[in-house]
DNA sequence: TTGTATGCGTTATCAC
DNA sequence: GTGATAACGCATACAA
C-alpha cells in the first residue's frame, strides 16, 4: 500500500491523466468551480490529487493570470518590537485574504530598500506595505507607476501617491506633554533618533517644539542621536540634563521604543532614579513594567495599524471604478502610566 | 525626454523588439552570459532595459528553470525576540546568496504550520528553515520526499531526515546549574512552557532532572505552564516556591526568554527581591540589565545559528554527489552574569 | 458538464 | 555570436 516517493513535483497534467480527465477539469476543480463538475469526476480528481501528492504551482498560476497572491512588506528594522507586532498583524490580515507575505528587512538602509523593492517587483507582488527607510527611490516610483498599490507604514514619503497608515504623532506628543505637565514636570528633554528620512520622527520632534513654544511654564531641549552607534554621546547628554542645576522637575521624553531602551540603560548606568526624574516613552514594550518603578509609555495600536494597512491595499487591489485619492489613517496612542512619571 | 509611464510590466520580448534583437539574446544578457554577446548588442539591450524599466519576472523564471530563488522559513512565534534575531540572520544569509525569504509565522499552531508548509511548497521554495510548532506533518514529509532540503531550527522532529541547528541544550542547562551552584543556590525551581512539541524544551527539562538526580546537595522542582494563558497559575507556583520554608537558598531557572519575562513580571508583583531569590534565564533579552539588579542570562548565538541553518540548506541544494546524512549542529550558550544571581 | 487550444514570460535546445 | 522554437504548469476563451 505504500506509494512511491514522488521524485519531483507532479503537475496538473499528470493528475488529469491519472484521473482520466482533462487538464481543464482539474484546473476547475482547483479553482473553486467544483460545482460545475459531476460528483463522480470530483471524486476521481480528488483521489488522483491525493495519490500523487499534487500541489498547484503558484508560480505558474501567477504567470497566466498575473495574480501572484503575494504581498510584499518592507520593514525598516525587523528587530524593532513595534515593527514586529505590525508585521505580525499584517501577515495575519494577508493570510485571511488569501495572500502570502514576502517580508524584507532593510536595516534602515536605503540601498537595501531599493534592492528589496526591485526584488518584490520581480516576484510580481500585488501590493506593497512599506515602512520606509529612505527617500522615494526610482524603484518605488516604478512600482507605483505600474499600478502596484502601495501603503506607507508609520513613515510617509513625499512625492509618492500612497495611503499612509500610522500613529497620530502630534496627538501622541500632546498626550505625552499633557501627562508630564499634569505630573508636575516642567523641564523636558526630548530624545530622538535622527529624524532625517523618517517622517514620523520629524513630526514628533516638530510637535514637541511647538508645545515648548506654546507653554511658557515649560522649558525643554532636544537631543537627536544615533542610539546604537554612540551610546557615549547619549550618556553625556543625559548626564548633562540630569546634573544641571534646575528648580523645575525634570523629565525625559523618548521618541520611540528603541530610544526608551537606550535611555533606560544610560540612566541605569548613571544611577538616576526614575520618577524623581520623569521618563516617558512612545511605544509600549513588554518589559516596561519591570524597569525600576515601571516606565510610563504611549502604546501604539499596532494591530489596528497592520490591519488598516492591508485593508488599504485590498481596496486598491480591486479597481471597480476610479481610485480614491491617497488617504491618511492616523491612530491615537494610549497612555500607560507607571512609576517613572510619578514624583 | 519624458517616457510614458509603463502601463504594466514590460517583458523580455518588448525589450528584444525595442533593441532590435531576439529574445534569446536578451535572456542571455540577463542570465549572466554577456561575454558571449557583442559589445554593441550589450549596449543596445542595456539601453532598452533602461528605457522600458524592465524587470525580469521571477515567476516565469522559476517556471522554466525550476529555480524560484526562494527559501521558506517557518517561525513558531514571530514575537519571540530569539526567533526574530535568528530570522534576521537567516534573511541576511539568504540574500547574500541570491535567495529571498518567504517568512511564515505559525503562532505555535500545528494547523497553521501545515497550511504554511503547503503554501511554501506551492511557491516551489528551494529550501525550508523550520522552527517547528507541531509534530511532523504529511505536508512536511511530502516536502522532504520531493527532495526539498529542510533545516530544523531549535526544535528537532522525529522521523524527519533533516539537519538540525540549535543550542546545545544540555550544555546550557549544565552551565546554568553550575553557575547557580557556584553562587550558593541549593534549591532550584525550573519553569518552562509545556515541553510537548518542542524538542528543545524537552531536552532542557530532561537535563535539569538529570542534574537534580546527580547532585545530592541540591533540591529542586519543575513547573510547566502555558505562560500567557494562565499567569495566575504561574504566580501561584512562584508564590508557593518562594514562601515555603527552606533553609537552602532558592533560585528560579527559566527555560526561555518568554518564561523569563513572565516570571519577572510575577516576581515583581509578588515583591520578591532578585538576587536573594536567584533568577537565571535562557535567552538574552535587551532589557535584562534593567530589571531590578539585572537578570543573569544564557545568551544563544543567534547569528551563528541562522547562518548555519542557511549554510546547511545551501550544501544540500547543490547535490554534486551523494547527500551526506543528516547533521546536527549545536552551539554553546554564553553566560551573562548579573545581579539576579548575586546573593 | 466536459474538453481543446492558446498564451503567460522565461530559459534551454537546437540550428545558422 | 545570434536567433527561431519548444517547453515549463497553469488558466481561460471557446467549442462541443
Amino acid at each position: 500500500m505504500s506509494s512511491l516517493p514522488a521524485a519531483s513535483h507532479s503537475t496538473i497534467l499528470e493528475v488529469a491523466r491519472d484521473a482520466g480527465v482533462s487538464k481543464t477539469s482539474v484546473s476547475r476543480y482547483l479553482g473553486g468551480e467544483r460545482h460545475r463538475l459531476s460528483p463522480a469526476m470530483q471524486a476521481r480528481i480528488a483521489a488522483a490529487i491525493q495519490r500523487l501528492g499534487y500541489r498547484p504551482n503558484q508560480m505558474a498560476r501567477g504567470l497566466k493570470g498575473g495574480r501572484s497572491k503575494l504581498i510584499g512588506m518592507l520593514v525598516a528594522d525587523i528587530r524593532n518590537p513595534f515593527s514586529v507586532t505590525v508585521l505580525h498583524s499584517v501577515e495575519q490580515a494577508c493570510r485571511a485574504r488569501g495572500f502570502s507575505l514576502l517580508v524584507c528587512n532593510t536595516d534602515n538602509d536605503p540601498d537595501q530598500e531599493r534592492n528589496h523593492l526591485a526584488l518584490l517587483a520581480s516576484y510580481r507582488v500585488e501590493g506593497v506595505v512599506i515602512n520606509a527607510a529612505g527617500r522615494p527611490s526610482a524603484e518605488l516610483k516604478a512600482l507605483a507607476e505600474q499600478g502596484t498599490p502601495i501603503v506607507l507604514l508609520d513613515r510617509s514619503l513625499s512625492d509618492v501617491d500612497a495611503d499612509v497608515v500610522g500613529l497620530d504623532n502630534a496627538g501622541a506628543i500632546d498626550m505625552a506633554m499633557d501627562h508630564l505637565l499634569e505630573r508636575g514636570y516642567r523641564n523636558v528633554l526630548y530624545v530622538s533618533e535622527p529624524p532625517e528620512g523618517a517622517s514620523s520622527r520629524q513630526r514628533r520632534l516638530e510637535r514637541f517644539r511647538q508645545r515648548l513654544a506654546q507653554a511658557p511654564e515649560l522649558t525643554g531641549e532636544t537631543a537627536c542621536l544615533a542610539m546604537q552607534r554612540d551610546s557615549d554621546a547619549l550618556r553625556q547628554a543625559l548626564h548633562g540634563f540630569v546634573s544641571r542645576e534646575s528648580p523645575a522637575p525634570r523629565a525625559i521624553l523618548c521618541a520611540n521604543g528603541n530610544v526608551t531602551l537606550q535611555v533606560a540603560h544610560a540612566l541605569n548606568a548613571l544611577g538616576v532614579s526614575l520618577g524623581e526624574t520623569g521618563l516617558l516613552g512612545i511605544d509600549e514594550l513588554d518589559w516596561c513594567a519591570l524597569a525600576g518603578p515601571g516606565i510610563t509609555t504611549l502604546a501604539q495600536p499596532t494591530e489596528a495599524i497592520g490591519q488598516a494597512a492591508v485593508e488599504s491595499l485590498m481596496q486598491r487591489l480591486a479597481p471597480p471604478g476610479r481610485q480614491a485619492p491617497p488617504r491618511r489613517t492616523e491612530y491615537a496612542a494610549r497612555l500607560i502610566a507607571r512609576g517613572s512619571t510619578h514624583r
Side-chain angles (χ1 to χ4, degrees), chain A:
Chain A
M1 285 286 80
S2 78
S3 60
L4 294 173
S8 184
H9 293 276
S10 49
T11 77
I12 206 173
L13 180 60
E14 297 174 304
V15 173
R17 277 207 258 269
D18 187 279
V21 302
S22 77
K23 294 195 314 181
T24 310
S25 298
V26 180
S27 178
R28 289 207 178 99
Y29 178 88
L30 296 165
E33 300 191 58
R34 310 191 186 181
H35 53 281
R36 294 197 171 173
L37 299 177
S38 69
M41 177 168 280
Q42 289 191 36
R44 293 166 66 192
I45 295 178
I49 288 178
Q50 182 72 25
R51 199 158 33 229
L52 276 62
Y54 169 78
R55 299 267 170 221
N57 183 333
Q58 278 291 351
M59 296 282 164
R61 230 178 230 208
L63 231 203
K64 177 65 181 171
R67 314 251 335 162
S68 66
K69 282 304 192 175
L70 237 32
I71 298 290
M73 178 165 180
L74 246 50
V75 180
D77 178 9
I78 189 77
R79 284 175 291 194
N80 178 326
F82 165 74
S83 301
V84 175
T85 321
V86 176
L87 162 59
H88 184 246
S89 109
V90 167
E91 200 242 356
Q92 293 208 131
C94 284
R95 189 155 34 83
R97 292 170 171 81
F99 286 81
S100 299
L101 192 65
L102 204 45
V103 180
C104 298
N105 174 50
T106 64
D107 275 337
N108 271 310
D109 176 355
D111 284 344
Q112 280 200 45
E113 175 165 310
R114 292 172 46 208
N115 288 336
H116 283 317
L117 239 22
L119 189 90
L120 293 180
S122 79
Y123 280 105
R124 298 298 186 264
V125 294
E126 299 183 44
V128 187
V129 179
I130 304 184
N131 181 212
R135 324 225 80 255
S137 55
E139 282 74 10
L140 183 57
K141 284 176 182 162
L143 220 49
E145 280 173 356
Q146 279 159 2
T148 310
I150 297 174
V151 175
L152 264 22
L153 213 69
D154 185 64
R155 307 173 181 183
S156 68
L157 242 33
S158 56
D159 288 349
V160 178
D161 261 14
D163 292 340
V164 182
V165 178
L167 186 71
D168 173 4
N169 291 297
I173 293 295
D174 285 345
M175 203 176 280
M177 296 303 280
D178 289 344
H179 177 73
L180 290 177
L181 276 169
E182 182 192 318
R183 292 297 174 95
Y185 299 102
R186 291 292 178 269
N187 185 10
V188 182
L189 171 66
Y190 182 80
V191 185
S192 170
E193 297 185 278
E196 300 83 40
S199 71
S200 54
R201 291 182 192 163
Q202 289 170 16
R203 190 76 193 88
R204 292 174 195 176
L205 181 59
E206 177 190 25
R207 184 61 172 191
F208 174 76
R209 292 192 167 128
Q210 288 177 356
R211 287 290 305 234
L212 273 194
Q214 290 168 9
E217 74 272 30
L218 212 56
T219 61
E221 53 197 288
T222 62
C224 295
L225 308 158
M227 292 294 128
Q228 342 275 21
R229 283 189 196 149
D230 52 358
S231 54
D232 281 351
L234 175 63
R235 187 178 303 194
Q236 282 176 23
L238 291 177
H239 179 70
F241 179 70
V242 166
S243 60
R244 196 179 311 151
E245 276 307 317
S246 160
R250 280 182 285 250
I252 297 161
L253 177 50
C254 302
N256 66 32
N258 188 31
V259 173
T260 305
L261 175 66
Q262 304 303 335
V263 166
H265 270 117
L267 292 180
N268 198 40
L270 290 170
V272 173
S273 89
L274 297 183
E276 183 192 323
T277 294
L279 181 61
L280 192 160
I282 295 183
D283 285 344
E284 163 72 353
L285 301 162
D286 50 18
W287 52 268
C288 278
L290 296 173
I295 298 175
T296 297
T297 61
L298 249 38
Q300 295 199 48
T302 50
E303 295 289 325
I305 290 175
Q307 286 175 12
V310 177
E311 191 51 55
S312 264
L313 237 41
M314 294 299 140
Q315 286 188 10
R316 304 209 174 270
L317 226 45
R322 202 83 205 90
Q323 283 293 342
R327 218 177 19 178
R328 182 173 202 98
T329 313
E330 297 194 333
Y331 287 90
R334 182 171 50 90
L335 177 75
I336 303 177
R338 298 201 177 91
S340 71
T341 50
H342 192 79
R343 296 196 302 142

